[in-house]
Amino acid sequence: MQKNLERVLESAFAFHFRITPLICSLFADQELLARVRNMMNERSMGPARSTSVISAYLRAEQQLGRVAPAAEPETVAGLMLAASFNTALCDHFFHSGSAGEAKAHRQLRDAVRALVVGLDPKNGAKRPREKR
Protein backbone atom coordinates (compact mmCIF):
# COMPACT_ATOMS: atom_id res chain seq x y z
CA MET A 1 0.00 0.00 0.00
CA GLN A 2 2.81 2.45 0.85
CA LYS A 3 4.37 2.14 -2.61
CA ASN A 4 0.97 2.67 -4.24
CA LEU A 5 0.38 5.82 -2.20
CA GLU A 6 3.88 7.07 -2.97
CA ARG A 7 3.19 6.65 -6.71
CA VAL A 8 -0.11 8.47 -6.34
CA LEU A 9 1.55 11.33 -4.49
CA GLU A 10 4.37 11.52 -7.06
CA SER A 11 1.76 11.85 -9.83
CA ALA A 12 -0.18 14.44 -7.85
CA PHE A 13 3.03 16.38 -7.26
CA ALA A 14 3.93 16.37 -10.96
CA PHE A 15 0.51 17.87 -11.69
CA HIS A 16 0.60 20.30 -8.76
CA PHE A 17 4.08 21.43 -9.71
CA ARG A 18 2.87 22.35 -13.20
CA ILE A 19 -0.30 24.14 -12.09
CA THR A 20 0.85 25.91 -8.91
CA PRO A 21 1.85 29.17 -10.67
CA LEU A 22 -1.45 29.23 -12.56
CA ILE A 23 -3.57 28.50 -9.49
CA CYS A 24 -1.78 31.12 -7.41
CA SER A 25 -2.21 33.74 -10.13
CA LEU A 26 -5.99 33.14 -10.23
CA PHE A 27 -6.32 34.64 -6.76
CA ALA A 28 -5.12 37.98 -8.11
CA ASP A 29 -8.24 38.25 -10.29
CA GLN A 30 -11.39 37.31 -8.39
CA GLU A 31 -13.59 37.52 -11.50
CA LEU A 32 -11.36 35.12 -13.41
CA LEU A 33 -11.20 32.86 -10.37
CA ALA A 34 -15.01 32.72 -10.24
CA ARG A 35 -15.21 31.85 -13.96
CA VAL A 36 -12.60 29.10 -13.63
CA ARG A 37 -14.32 27.76 -10.50
CA ASN A 38 -17.68 27.62 -12.31
CA MET A 39 -16.14 25.91 -15.33
CA MET A 40 -14.47 23.32 -13.14
CA ASN A 41 -17.70 22.65 -11.24
CA GLU A 42 -19.65 22.23 -14.49
CA ARG A 43 -17.09 19.69 -15.74
CA SER A 44 -16.65 17.89 -12.41
CA MET A 45 -12.99 18.81 -12.35
CA GLY A 46 -10.80 19.84 -9.45
CA PRO A 47 -9.42 18.48 -6.22
CA ALA A 48 -12.65 16.75 -5.17
CA ARG A 49 -12.23 14.29 -8.01
CA SER A 50 -8.72 13.32 -6.94
CA THR A 51 -9.81 13.10 -3.32
CA SER A 52 -12.65 10.73 -4.19
CA VAL A 53 -10.37 8.39 -6.15
CA ILE A 54 -7.76 8.20 -3.39
CA SER A 55 -10.38 7.79 -0.67
CA ALA A 56 -12.06 4.97 -2.63
CA TYR A 57 -8.70 3.16 -2.77
CA LEU A 58 -8.20 3.68 0.98
CA ARG A 59 -11.73 2.41 1.74
CA ALA A 60 -10.98 -0.72 -0.28
CA GLU A 61 -7.75 -1.21 1.68
CA GLN A 62 -9.76 -0.66 4.87
CA GLN A 63 -12.20 -3.42 3.89
CA LEU A 64 -9.23 -5.74 3.32
CA GLY A 65 -7.97 -4.97 6.83
CA ARG A 66 -4.84 -3.16 5.66
CA VAL A 67 -6.01 0.26 6.88
CA ALA A 68 -7.14 0.93 10.43
CA PRO A 69 -10.92 1.05 10.92
CA ALA A 70 -10.52 4.42 12.67
CA ALA A 71 -8.93 6.01 9.60
CA GLU A 72 -11.01 8.54 7.67
CA PRO A 73 -10.20 7.91 3.97
CA GLU A 74 -11.46 11.32 2.78
CA THR A 75 -9.36 13.13 5.37
CA VAL A 76 -6.26 11.09 4.53
CA ALA A 77 -6.78 11.74 0.81
CA GLY A 78 -7.10 15.47 1.50
CA LEU A 79 -3.94 15.42 3.59
CA MET A 80 -2.06 13.66 0.81
CA LEU A 81 -3.12 16.22 -1.76
CA ALA A 82 -2.41 19.08 0.62
CA ALA A 83 1.11 17.72 1.17
CA SER A 84 1.61 17.50 -2.58
CA PHE A 85 0.38 21.02 -3.30
CA ASN A 86 2.31 22.52 -0.39
CA THR A 87 5.49 20.77 -1.53
CA ALA A 88 4.99 22.09 -5.07
CA LEU A 89 4.33 25.60 -3.79
CA CYS A 90 7.40 25.58 -1.55
CA ASP A 91 9.55 24.11 -4.31
CA HIS A 92 8.56 26.93 -6.66
CA PHE A 93 8.87 29.60 -3.99
CA PHE A 94 12.15 28.58 -2.37
CA HIS A 95 13.97 26.59 -5.03
CA SER A 96 12.80 28.09 -8.33
CA GLY A 97 11.35 24.73 -9.24
CA SER A 98 14.48 22.70 -9.93
CA ALA A 99 17.10 22.72 -7.19
CA GLY A 100 14.73 21.26 -4.61
CA GLU A 101 13.44 18.31 -6.65
CA ALA A 102 15.20 15.62 -4.59
CA LYS A 103 14.09 17.30 -1.37
CA ALA A 104 10.51 17.52 -2.66
CA HIS A 105 10.39 13.83 -3.50
CA ARG A 106 11.85 12.94 -0.10
CA GLN A 107 9.18 15.10 1.60
CA LEU A 108 6.46 13.29 -0.35
CA ARG A 109 7.79 9.86 0.66
CA ASP A 110 8.00 11.06 4.28
CA ALA A 111 4.40 12.29 4.13
CA VAL A 112 3.20 8.92 2.85
CA ARG A 113 5.22 7.09 5.48
CA ALA A 114 3.72 9.25 8.24
CA LEU A 115 0.21 8.55 6.99
CA VAL A 116 0.81 4.83 6.56
CA VAL A 117 2.10 4.51 10.11
CA GLY A 118 -1.07 6.23 11.27
CA LEU A 119 -3.21 4.01 9.01
CA ASP A 120 -1.75 0.73 10.22
CA PRO A 121 -4.60 -1.28 11.75
CA LYS A 122 -2.30 -2.39 14.57
CA ASN A 123 -1.90 1.24 15.64
CA GLY A 124 -5.57 2.21 15.83
CA ALA A 125 -8.78 1.33 17.54
CA LYS A 126 -12.28 1.43 16.15
CA ARG A 127 -13.47 4.77 14.79
CA PRO A 128 -15.09 6.79 17.56
CA ARG A 129 -18.70 7.79 17.00
CA GLU A 130 -19.29 11.51 16.67
CA LYS A 131 -21.99 13.12 18.75
CA ARG A 132 -24.53 14.90 16.60
Side-chain angles (χ1 to χ4, degrees), residues 16-21 87-98:
H16 286 145
F17 185 79
R18 287 192 313 272
I19 67 160
T20 296
T87 301
L89 180 66
C90 289
D91 198 38
H92 275 291
F93 192 81
F94 294 110
H95 305 292
S96 300
S98 60

Side-chain angles (χ1 to χ4, degrees), residues 15-16 30 32 41 48 56 58 66 98-99 110 115 117-119 124 127 129:
F15 176 71
H16 286 145
Q30 292 298 305
L32 179 60
N41 287 335
L58 291 169
R66 295 189 287 230
S98 60
D110 289 347
L115 289 170
V117 167
L119 293 172
R127 182 181 306 167
R129 295 274 184 214

Side-chain angles (χ1 to χ4, degrees), residues 5-56:
L5 294 176
E6 285 176 3
R7 281 192 288 269
V8 166
L9 208 53
E10 292 285 335
S11 294
F13 175 77
F15 176 71
H16 286 145
F17 185 79
R18 287 192 313 272
I19 67 160
T20 296
L22 173 66
I23 296 298
C24 290
S25 69
L26 286 174
F27 290 99
D29 184 339
Q30 292 298 305
E31 186 179 313
L32 179 60
L33 176 62
R35 288 198 320 251
V36 170
R37 183 182 297 127
N38 289 335
M39 183 267 311
M40 291 179 73
N41 287 335
E42 289 169 0
R43 296 178 184 179
S44 298
M45 298 169 64
R49 189 171 179 191
S50 299
T51 302
S52 68
V53 171
I54 296 169
S55 61

